[in-house]
Amino acid sequence: MRQYEAMMVFDPTVAAEYKNVEAEIERVMKRAEAQVIVSRKWDERKLAYEIEGRKRGCYVLTYFRANPSKIAAIQRDFELSESILRGLVLSAEGLTEEQMLRSVPVPAERSERPEEEHGRDRDRDRDRDRERRPRHDRERRGGGEPKAAPAEETAVAVAEDGAEIG
């Protein structure tokens, strides 16, 4: 048996009760005759894009031992499970159990700032990055310093002898 690491994204409605998550992991691992070493909820986050109509997901990191021939069955169970939105299995052969226990993250404290303030930070960063671009790049993209308005052209009448009139 070899050691593996699995990162799974669970439907947040299922993950509201962590017992449901543990039961699903246990079901998948038992079908593949795998032994769970450690499994912990990582965090619930907004997804970069919607998966099966979900905008949020609960990330769970699990270390386990399994026969290499059973990994395809585990990944297939991830795909067929209604509660697991995505799953990825990687080899963790170089890790000791102590390292696995330390590497399972503890969720960080959430910022008290509302999400709309995060948007302002993103706007500030975008503006800062725009100022760092070379001037020719800003002009090509339509950003940067405003261009001066074209000078008004004045009509000058010229007499036949070349002298200006008026």
Side-chain angles (χ1 to χ4, degrees):
M1 287 189 141
R2 292 191 179 171
Q3 296 180 129
Y4 294 94
E5 163 184 11
M7 175 65 77
M8 295 161 276
V9 181
F10 279 84
D11 182 343
T13 56
V14 172
E17 288 288 327
Y18 193 69
K19 292 176 191 176
N20 298 336
V21 171
E22 290 175 333
E24 183 65 14
I25 291 170
E26 186 65 31
R27 183 191 69 79
V28 170
M29 296 300 163
K30 191 175 278 188
R31 282 177 49 99
E33 300 169 357
Q35 301 167 339
V36 175
I37 299 168
V38 63
S39 180
R40 281 208 197 125
K41 179 179 177 180
W42 190 0
D43 201 4
E44 183 175 323
R45 295 178 175 231
K46 182 177 177 187
L47 300 172
Y49 55 91
E50 284 188 21
I51 301 174
E52 297 178 17
R54 305 292 192 276
K55 294 182 180 182
R56 297 189 67 80
C58 178
Y59 290 79
V60 177
L61 181 61
T62 302
Y63 288 97
F64 63 95
R65 285 189 190 91
N67 187 333
S69 64
K70 301 287 187 173
I71 298 303
I74 291 172
Q75 290 176 328
R76 186 180 61 246
D77 282 349
F78 286 171
E79 291 175 15
L80 295 175
S81 173
E82 292 182 11
S83 57
I84 300 174
L85 301 176
R86 288 284 191 273
L88 176 67
V89 177
L90 301 172
S91 175
E93 274 302 301
L95 297 176
T96 64
E97 285 190 37
E98 183 180 309
Q99 290 172 323
M100 290 178 193
L101 290 170
R102 281 193 314 224
S103 69
V104 175
V106 177
E109 292 296 318
R110 292 208 182 266
S111 168
E112 296 299 319
R113 294 173 16 180
E115 284 189 28
E116 57 206 24
E117 287 187 31
H118 293 290
R120 284 190 224 134
D121 287 346
R122 187 176 58 227
D123 293 343
R124 184 186 67 226
D125 292 343
R126 183 193 65 229
D127 294 342
R128 180 198 64 226
D129 293 343
R130 182 179 291 146
E131 291 170 4
R132 290 181 182 170
R133 281 197 300 252
R135 184 173 180 204
H136 69 275
D137 190 37
R138 287 183 294 200
E139 289 172 358
R140 184 179 65 222
R141 293 177 186 244
E145 296 86 27
K147 295 180 181 178
E152 290 185 30
E153 295 182 23
T154 55
V156 177
V158 178
E160 288 181 15
D161 61 358
E164 291 183 12
I165 305 174

